[in-house]
Amino acid sequence: GVYVRYQAFDVWAARAYLQSAICLEKAHKPAEALRTLDEMLARKERAELPEGAEARKMRERLGKVK
């Protein structure tokens, strides 16, 4: 998928992960969104990008939703 194709391009991969998580949240699939964010943040190069900071905020917010 998109993540594999762009893994050498961390900025683009981070953006793809983040947008995927946003779509999953809007589709009322918070658990899938959290898994997507966790996968994104697992790679240090992506986690350190501005998108990583946004992903952490989103992850914190989604983690509070039950």
Side-chain angles (χ1 to χ4, degrees), residues 4 7-8 17 19 22 24 33 49 55-57 59 61 65:
V4 173
Q7 64 182 316
Y17 273 107
Q19 286 303 310
I22 290 168
L24 289 165
L49 294 168
R56 282 188 294 281
K57 289 178 189 174
R59 197 197 181 300
R61 183 173 39 78
V65 176

Side-chain angles (χ1 to χ4, degrees), residues 3 19-30 32-34 36:
Y3 311 130
Q19 286 303 310
S20 178
I22 290 168
C23 290
L24 289 165
E25 180 185 23
K26 288 181 180 183
H28 306 287
K29 297 181 179 184
E32 290 180 45
L34 284 168
T36 299

Side-chain angles (χ1 to χ4, degrees), residues 11 14-15 18 40-41 46-56:
V11 171
R15 290 175 183 169
L18 190 56
M40 173 193 169
L41 294 169
R46 289 188 296 249
E48 292 177 345
L49 294 168
E51 291 82 1
E54 192 172 341
R56 282 188 294 281

